[in-house]
Amino acid sequence: KGYSCSITPERVLVSRPVLQASLGTRHGILLAEGEVYSFGEMPWKSGMAGTTTVPVLEMALSDQRVVSVAAGSFHSGAVTEGGVVHMWGENASGQCGLSGATTVPDPRPVEMVDHETSPSQPVRVLELACGEQHTLALSDCREVWAWGSGCQLGLVTSVFPVWRPQKVEHLAGRYVLQVACGAFHSLALVRCLAPQEARRTLPDKCGQCHQLLYTMTDKEDHVIISDSHYCPLGVELAETREQPSPTPRLRTSPSEPVLSRLCPSMEFTVAPDGVQPTDNVPGNQIQKDTQEEEKDQTSSRTPMTDAAALPLTDSSKSSGGVETLSKSSPYPDEQALNDYLKRLSDHSLADAVGWTGSCSPVGLGFESRLGCLATDWRPVLGVSPPPPALRPVLPGGLQFPATPYGTSGSENVCVCVSGCIPGSSEALKETREERVRLEDSMQGKKSSSLGDIREGEADGLSRRLSLPGLLSQVSPRLLRKVGRPRVRAVALSPAAVPESEEHLPSLHTEVWSWGRGKEGQLGHGDILPRLQPLCIKSLNNKEVVRVAAGAHHSLALTAQSQVFSWGCNTSGQLGHMDSPSTIPRLTKMSEGIRVWDVAAGQQHTVLLADGDCFQPILYYSGRQIKEGTSGTPQSDSGGYTQQPVLLPFCMNLGYVSSVFAGGQSCLALADRNVMGFIASLHELAAAERKFYCKLSSLKSQILRPLLALENLSTTLGSTTAQLFQTLASNFSRLCHLTGQHATSLTAFLRCGRDIKGLVLLDHATIFLDTYKEYCGSVGNLLVMGGFQALVKPSQDAFGKSLECVQQLLESGEENAPSSDLLVSLFSLPVRHLHDYGRLLLKLATCFEVSTVEYQKLQDSCSKYETLALHLKRKRKEAEYTFHFWKSFPGKMTDSLRKPPRRLICESSNKALTLQNAGRFSVNWFILFSDALVHAQFSTHHVFPLATLWVEPVSEENTGLYGLKVTSPEESFTLLASSPMEKAKWLRAINQSVDQRPEPPISRTATYTFYKDSRLKDATYEGRWVAGKPHGRGILKWPDGRTYIGAFKNGLEDGYGEYVVPNKTLNKDDHYQGHWKEGKMHGFGTYSYATGEVYEGSFQDNARHGHGMLRSGKLTSSSPSVFIGQWIQDKKTGYGVFDDITRGEKYMGMWQDDMRQGNGVIVTQFGLYYEGAFANNKMMGTGTLLSEDDTAFEGEFSEDWTLNGKGTLTMPNGDFFEGTFSGVWGTGLKVSGTYYKPTLYETDKEKNRAVKLGLLAVRPEEKWRAVFEECWSRLGCKAPGQGENWKAWENIAVTLTANRRQHRDSPELLSRSHNKTLESLEFIPQHVGPVTAEKYDNIRRYLVKACDTPLHPLGQLVETLVAVYRMTYVGVGANRRLLQQAVNEIKSYLSRIFQLVRFLFPDLPEEGGIIPEPSSEAPEKRVLSSPNASPQRIVSSSALLLPVLLPRLYPPLFTLYALEKEREEDVYWECVLRLNKQPDLALLAFLGVQKFWPVSISVLGEKKQVLSSTKDSCFASAVETLQQISTTFTPADKLQVIQQTFEEITQEVLALLREDFLWSMDDLFPVFLYVVLRARIRNLGSEVSLIEDLMDPCVQHGEHGIMFTTLKACYYQIQHEKIT
């Protein structure tokens, strides 16, 4: 009945608390905790013909946990916790989604499956919305599904009903927040696409009608682009009437498709003259379905609001022969109708024409000047008030019916209005322009969007310009306005707080609508149907957070508590009287009323709002009845609400949390206010909504106009303008966050009540940070005098006295200065923090002190209160600083005044002076939040606080109150006037440096040097200790040099990387390695811009020690590698130089980068030279050998140039003696004597073989630098000079440091490597006499130490291996170098052994004896290894060869193979020949006497040895001997030989079955057989290697004899003759 009846809502009693409700046309549905109840008329239930007064429990759902319900006109739905939909009620149009039944009496599950996924998956639903003939469901993927009948489904189909739920493809890929259904239209609230999603390329043509989605119209001086494509294809809205229409359908132009073909239900019928309206339909016909009404096309209830109230007289004579309307009206009194229409429209004729223009069918694919506005009007049938039983609802729910009114008869009327109206075209142009401007300003001024107002304005204009009716009549002035560049839109862009987006509702939303639009309920500015969802453009940027749909009107609620409404307005249900109602317009609410929930019924709207107090109030607009006139026909009085009206009884309802409406009823849910909890929640939400509205109005009324001023940046100056921009964008962010939070609290009131879920508690940091940032920007603007500068622009914009600012402030200060007003205005938000604190505390009191909730609320409360106090303090600091700058001398202000800088204290009162200052000097100290400034007459120096260290000077001896101040480049002492002042300054400086009383002496900071000659203008960023860089840091010079690494006491020290740009080559020099006291020192790698790379030791920034220099790549002009000793950046000492281009390798002495002293050169062509070098040339005595053994010994003057006396020996022994000159390899000039030794064989001449190695560098002279570095790592100045304990200490330090360095990058170390390092940390016992056990421990320790390069010994071994390979690989693989290579290994052994004996001083020297514990019986050691003899002999080879030789083996063995090549070829040929023999023949040939195996066992079977048997006798011995090639050290190889002997002995013993002793005569042939059968290819090399490197103590023992036997076999085989 509305507000004019004194209604008292009745309670509906249900056994459990009601969570949600929904109302249909004549029934309702309640969701109590887990139970669903229905009430009202439910004809689909058997035995329920009438109306049930008491809610009936839906038993079918009793075992389900229902989470939400929805009621359509005549059907209902429920969603369970698992997302399953249950439907029941009327199903004639398929609205229950269950095929085959016209009614569904009890809830039944609806199958929803997504077939697009594979495998198909069930769809989980979050919420439902029901209309009259359709249902929509929102899935948890935020997609919309639809079923039922009509275009309001939004599906691509023309077959109805749609029984199976189908996805609305048009909204796929978008994030839908909510859906709502009217009787025949649908709404969806959709989150805007993120910018990157919006950039996706969209299709340019409509998928169905294949017309362009975006049209472009070119007009003389402008182009209009329209995106409001409307697809006319798809479905029929309702069945067309059977009877033929009495008049032909209208057709306006040949090119235009017939309208009725597009939408059959919008038929243009004209009633024949004189038809009388039918009588009133009796009330008992109420049961006639609304469905039928729809078939009769009475979906529209507006008496022509959309037709813009044109008089029905001769309306369009000039329309080019379009048939005009004959006088036909359903109203007996036509005047009354016209008056009524006039009252509705409230607009002049010209305005109406303007509207006709702008409302002509935008969506149609063709351009039409015809404003076709068809309305089809029939008043609702008379309905008597429903029985009181229908009114009640729930403990938390209230219901008050809006009683229907009586109606007159029904008839159809159709009005056609043509677009061309006679009259002055100029006037028309003006009204149009006016209308555009008016409409535009309405868009902008009322806009609640966060976008810049200009952006909105231009947007609105460009959109309107695309309306066909306006195309040709737009003034160029207006177009210039559109074309104006947008100014600083950045500041107020809707900047969302990024982290908050996840936890807070989105405000960037759009509203989409589709379905029938006869009443304008779609909001697109026309009355056409839409078959697919279309975005309502005018609601973009309006921050819509909820939508609701009545039968034929729609509502949208924004975050700023405003309501937009559109659609049918017959009873004023839209809450405004603006026309037309086909686009969303603001509902007219009284000042200060903030709406936060909306509901729409058939012809009424209910709003839930905040008023002056925080208890919610209810407003009503729509269907209205005067007391005592029930049932009589209404004229124009009383039945129409001009704006929403307060329902007086709402204060009795308590705390209403949500409202619902449907049919003729309204319903409210109210909460019991236990312990004041609900009241406090409402107060919090209401406060937040009020605050958001305040912020929004501040933004739209103050910020936007200011930012829009053309000359703002010139007035303010660039710095201040930038600060104001920052303030504006931070304000915008705060405003947006508040809006999101207000929306979130409103939703919290509706459904959640778990206080732990409050965003304010869970994500407090988002709020705290946003407030801090905002207040920081206010303070910065204040310090820079920005508010003073803003006064003039503000007065330009808002008038001298800034009334609007005062209004927003609600302050009574009459005479406050304008700048103070502005400061207060922008400091408003801080007050709100106190509200948070107060309200959270209030909420906390609703809980027991011991509960988690209480604790959480209490903590959060203190967080917000603390921040409020902190920000208050910050503002005071800013004001203090601002006043200081006002009084400060001008010159310095400019350079020192910075936005974030705050004044802490200053010494103008002579409280602080400089020690030892001159008598007349003026020293003024000013402490800012980030720097200490020392000002003198005209100069000042700034000391950044981050790199300032202050310590009090003790007063005992001096009696002065001093503070010692240290900065990176100077330190001075300040004297305070009193102990109080001293303490004050000390505390102030320390607290400014770091928020603690004592800032740490070590900290991280950035500093640019200005004095230091080496570091001038360089910037250091990293760790500091007491004024010096110390720890890790980065140092950058202005010329591009960079150092990244460790510092110590202000200098580079430790590991670091250094980059030096090379300007000429345009590349960088790059050093990675160790530093000491600011210089490169220790091991490092230097990559030069030229492409050279040096890897090795440095000292004082120069290459010094052992290192390797690689020049050029292999492909470049002169690739070469040098490895050896450097002194002061020059090659000096022993080194190996591999000249890859010339194919030469030099191994010898250097001085000052030149070859000087003895050396050896080998070339890739087999030439070999050893001798003296001087000035980089072969000069002096030397020996030269070529590949074929031709040799020259004598004088050289240049490389390969013979000059002087010498002897030339031929391969066959002939030789020349005399003087030679010439280059080797070309013609030699000889004067001398030729000898042929064979003819004159004398003993003297016999021994002419050239002795090699005499002129080469002695082995112990090689690689001295490598060993010296190892000694120095152990802390010794020279080999053997130093302390043993210190050496071990150094080892421990090195290992620990290396492990720490590798811990930061664990991928460099394998797990086994880590274990090795751990075990090395235990130092073996190294003092006291060495026993066998200790000796074993030492050996194990050495193996591990040499295994890791992080140990000094390991590093030594690694370097030695590298240099050895470097020397003897490639060109160095020359057989003449074999002896030197062997001697080099021996020298390594002795020199490493010296180190070992230094570490273990009690180890006997080479050949010394370690006594064994004599527990074992001596006879057990018959054939065991020499190590097990009664005493152990110490030898370097036994200790170190196992570590060293495996790594040096490949190059060494290659040299042996080259040296023995000829004899091995002879040996091998013989082996192959003899191996063709079967076993017995071979044994006979070799003269084996009595040890012929008779049978052998193969896989456990005995087999007879036949004459043809081959490779079977002594097979195990043969196999054992073959392993000699897989071992490295001589000791291991001898072990293999010994095992071979044992195997032979075993086999012979088995054969003879008796003990016997070998004699060499017996043994040798058998062993010879085994050697032959073993087929060892490089046996000669193996023999020589054992001989050269064998442990001397073994030579005369058992092993020695066995080795001699093997050697004898090798020579025997070479000279074997086969007969």
Side-chain angles (χ1 to χ4, degrees), residues 28 39 157 208 390 574 658 697 804 852 878 1088 1254 1460:
F39 58 90
T157 178
Q208 290 173 55
L390 195 112
L574 297 188
S658 45
S697 43
C804 61
V852 183
Y1088 298 87
L1254 297 175
K1460 300 288 174 195

Side-chain angles (χ1 to χ4, degrees), residues 153-205:
L153 295 181
L155 300 174
V156 185
T157 178
S158 54
V159 181
F160 295 116
V162 174
W163 296 106
R164 256 214 187 124
Q166 289 186 23
K167 194 191 292 183
V168 179
E169 290 298 345
H170 213 72
L171 286 171
R174 290 181 182 269
Y175 191 95
V176 181
L177 300 163
Q178 187 211 336
V179 285
C181 291
F184 296 98
H185 72 288
S186 306
L187 302 174
L189 182 63
V190 179
R191 191 158 76 188
C192 292
L193 291 177
Q196 64 270 22
E197 289 177 41
R199 277 193 217 108
R200 281 191 314 211
T201 49
L202 295 163
D204 54 349
K205 283 192 175 174

Side-chain angles (χ1 to χ4, degrees), residues 1038-1226:
D1039 60 8
R1041 286 175 298 154
T1042 312
Y1043 171 85
I1044 303 174
F1047 287 80
K1048 196 170 177 183
N1049 294 330
L1051 295 169
E1052 301 93 324
D1053 199 308
Y1055 184 81
E1057 285 187 41
Y1058 181 55
V1059 175
V1060 186
N1062 184 322
K1063 294 280 188 301
T1064 47
L1065 292 172
N1066 209 5
K1067 283 188 180 167
D1068 295 344
D1069 285 359
H1070 191 159
Y1071 172 77
Q1072 278 176 298
H1074 293 271
W1075 294 73
K1076 189 174 180 184
E1077 293 168 9
K1079 295 186 174 164
M1080 298 180 232
H1081 190 106
F1083 185 80
T1085 304
Y1086 202 121
S1087 311
Y1088 298 87
T1090 54
E1092 292 188 319
V1093 179
Y1094 172 82
E1095 206 175 321
S1097 295
F1098 285 82
Q1099 193 173 318
D1100 295 340
N1101 278 345
R1103 298 174 288 198
H1104 188 97
H1106 175 76
M1108 172 159 78
L1109 178 71
R1110 284 198 193 89
S1111 303
K1113 302 260 183 306
L1114 279 171
T1115 50
S1116 70
S1117 52
S1118 57
S1120 62
V1121 182
F1122 171 83
I1123 189 163
Q1125 187 169 3
W1126 298 74
I1127 292 177
Q1128 300 303 332
D1129 233 8
K1130 304 255 176 84
K1131 306 180 185 109
T1132 304
Y1134 179 74
V1136 174
F1137 181 71
D1138 193 352
D1139 189 334
I1140 296 163
T1141 328
R1142 293 171 56 186
E1144 292 184 3
K1145 186 176 278 192
Y1146 170 79
M1147 308 162 211
M1149 302 306 283
W1150 295 74
Q1151 193 157 359
D1152 293 344
D1153 277 341
M1154 307 228 271
R1155 297 179 288 188
Q1156 183 90 20
N1158 282 2
V1160 171
I1161 282 191
V1162 287
T1163 73
Q1164 63 191 15
F1165 306 113
L1167 287 180
Y1168 170 94
Y1169 169 87
E1170 63 174 53
F1173 283 78
N1175 297 334
N1176 221 13
K1177 300 175 192 154
M1178 300 176 183
M1179 199 180 270
T1181 317
T1183 304
L1184 176 64
L1185 276 91
S1186 70
E1187 180 69 4
D1188 62 353
D1189 290 342
T1190 308
F1192 172 79
E1193 294 169 83
E1195 300 291 321
F1196 286 78
S1197 65
E1198 280 215 29
D1199 287 359
W1200 312 112
T1201 306
L1202 290 59
N1203 195 345
K1205 288 186 177 166
T1207 309
L1208 179 67
T1209 311
M1210 307 295 171
N1212 60 0
D1214 301 358
F1215 60 94
F1216 280 102
E1217 259 177 22
T1219 332
F1220 294 78
S1221 67
V1223 178
W1224 187 266
T1226 61

Side-chain angles (χ1 to χ4, degrees), residues 1001-1063:
I1001 193 162
S1002 159
R1003 37 183 123 123
T1004 302
T1006 304
Y1007 179 83
T1008 303
F1009 293 88
Y1010 62 94
K1011 259 187 178 174
D1012 187 316
S1013 57
R1014 187 174 77 97
L1015 300 173
K1016 190 163 170 51
D1017 297 330
T1019 303
Y1020 171 79
E1021 182 184 344
R1023 296 296 294 167
W1024 295 78
V1025 170
K1028 297 267 170 58
H1030 190 101
R1032 279 200 56 80
I1034 299 177
L1035 187 60
K1036 288 182 180 168
W1037 280 267
D1039 60 8
R1041 286 175 298 154
T1042 312
Y1043 171 85
I1044 303 174
F1047 287 80
K1048 196 170 177 183
N1049 294 330
L1051 295 169
E1052 301 93 324
D1053 199 308
Y1055 184 81
E1057 285 187 41
Y1058 181 55
V1059 175
V1060 186
N1062 184 322
K1063 294 280 188 301

Side-chain angles (χ1 to χ4, degrees), residues 1418-1527:
E1419 60 272 11
K1420 278 193 186 163
R1421 298 200 200 95
V1422 188
L1423 276 168
S1424 57
S1425 67
N1427 303 1
S1429 52
Q1431 70 269 335
R1432 210 175 265 192
I1433 296 167
V1434 175
S1435 76
S1436 54
S1437 57
L1439 262 184
L1440 300 168
L1441 265 184
V1443 182
L1444 206 53
L1445 200 55
R1447 305 177 195 197
L1448 306 179
Y1449 194 78
L1452 176 65
F1453 198 74
T1454 308
L1455 290 174
Y1456 273 115
L1458 289 169
E1459 172 68 22
K1460 300 288 174 195
E1461 193 171 9
R1462 288 182 194 164
E1463 35 180 274
E1464 276 180 344
D1465 285 350
V1466 177
Y1467 149 81
W1468 188 241
E1469 193 187 335
C1470 192
V1471 168
L1472 292 178
R1473 217 172 44 236
L1474 290 175
N1475 265 313
K1476 291 174 184 165
Q1477 307 282 338
D1479 290 358
L1480 297 181
L1482 189 56
L1483 284 166
F1485 170 75
L1486 293 174
V1488 177
Q1489 310 268 313
K1490 47 188 172 179
F1491 313 116
W1492 288 36
V1494 185
S1495 62
I1496 46 169
S1497 75
V1498 180
L1499 300 172
E1501 270 185 59
K1502 289 244 170 182
K1503 283 202 174 167
Q1504 202 66 31
V1505 175
L1506 307 172
S1507 59
S1508 60
T1509 308
K1510 199 173 171 194
D1511 288 333
S1512 297
C1513 303
F1514 299 107
S1516 58
V1518 169
E1519 239 168 71
T1520 308
L1521 187 60
Q1522 282 168 341
Q1523 290 169 14
I1524 198 165
S1525 308
T1526 62
T1527 53

Side-chain angles (χ1 to χ4, degrees), residues 587-595 610 619 643-646:
T587 298
K588 293 187 172 42
M589 303 297 293
S590 318
E591 187 63 37
I593 300 298
R594 290 174 296 282
V595 179
D610 297 323
Y619 277 80
Q643 68 177 59
V645 183
L646 178 68

